[in-house]
Amino acid sequence: MRIPAAVLERAGSVARDVAARAGIAVDAGELLGGRAALLGLQAAHRISAGGATRLLDARDGWCALTLSRADDIAAVPALARTDSVGDDPWPVVARCVRDLGVEEFAERARLLGLPVGVLGETTSAAPVHREIGPAAGPAAMSGLLVADLSAMWAGPLCGRLLGQAGATVVKVESAARPDGTRQGPRAFFDWVNAGKLSYHADFAQPERLRRLLSAADVVIESSRPAALQRRGLGPQQVSGRPGRTWLRITGHGTADGRADWVAFGDDAAVSGGLVSGTAQAPRFCGDAIADPLTGLHAALAVLQSQARGGGELVEISMSAVAAGYAALPRQDEIVCAAAPAGLTPGPAPAADNEVVDRLVDSRLAATC
């Protein structure tokens, strides 16, 4: 996988900061190129390395659409306002983009909950910090409890790095909708989730999950904020330990109606302007590159928050992270193909509920 040298250099600087704060080894090249090396993926210019995202052009620019879920493909007839799609939805999608233009196409796609990014629409922005509870003394990761409610790549990668630093990380999955990466190659799931405990949760009956969030020192979430709030599980709705850091990873931030915009790594990178090639002929940069970059920056944000004493909601946007790298020189690209070594199995579904419940009970009892 080819990645601009300047992008890898800056990611390496962040990785060294994480490593120094956490006392672990962090290889930026492995994080950015690891999935592609594991699975033998290659980007095909306007088709992403994973194959689910495509760059599409119209008279007013370029956009990227991801069709990775069955629900996404099922929404194509409504998107294109046609009853005839066929086995391959992409020709219909491409015509729709050309007919509407990328701005109107993206607006329609977002109303349908589809992951789409218009090239360069997002500007760089630092994580947003909000006080949500009492702070505590600076804390090292060792001995802390992390509730990882995130899925796919960025959030789980953040959780894995915190686990390597010594935290106990609990991977929370819905009984009805487990992490989507479980449906793909096992090696990738194991890579980003190794060392975590597994917790099978029923979000329709959230009392046990609420206890876990109350006992946790760090919470990682990557769903649309309203999804947790509807169940009374938002950061302001669940009482927390002093010093708790609540990390919210979004595709496009939460301002200006963007909280409901869905994103995956490739379309988020395009939204931030992080592409290879030229503005007239862009191509995908790396493999879903906004995902590992965000996971790395998210881990740093959590470590910094805990060093300040926590008590914070930290919001980090995948497209804004990508935009921070888009301004770097991208002419010189290098091969980034460091395959992860020493893979260990990730958690099995619902294997550790009793262990986690006992841990939560003991932590809550100690604070009474």
Side-chain angles (χ1 to χ4, degrees), residues 162-237:
L162 300 181
Q164 288 179 294
T168 298
V169 184
V170 177
K171 181 170 182 60
V172 179
E173 294 178 85
S174 163
R177 299 189 69 177
D179 189 332
T181 56
R182 286 194 183 273
Q183 300 174 11
R186 178 65 187 264
F188 176 63
F189 178 86
D190 288 346
W191 177 42
V192 294
N193 290 294
K196 300 176 184 179
L197 297 171
S198 179
Y199 197 73
H200 185 128
D202 183 351
F203 283 80
Q205 298 178 342
E207 287 306 317
R208 293 172 71 193
L209 181 53
R210 184 174 289 111
R211 288 174 59 81
L212 171 60
L213 300 182
S214 295
D217 301 289
V218 176
V219 177
I220 303 171
E221 56 139 315
S222 62
S223 58
R224 285 177 281 187
L228 289 178
Q229 291 168 358
R230 283 196 300 268
R231 294 170 172 84
L233 296 173
Q236 291 88 359
Q237 296 167 307

Side-chain angles (χ1 to χ4, degrees), residues 66 80 156 239 243 306 356:
T66 300
S239 61
Q306 285 292 298
V356 174

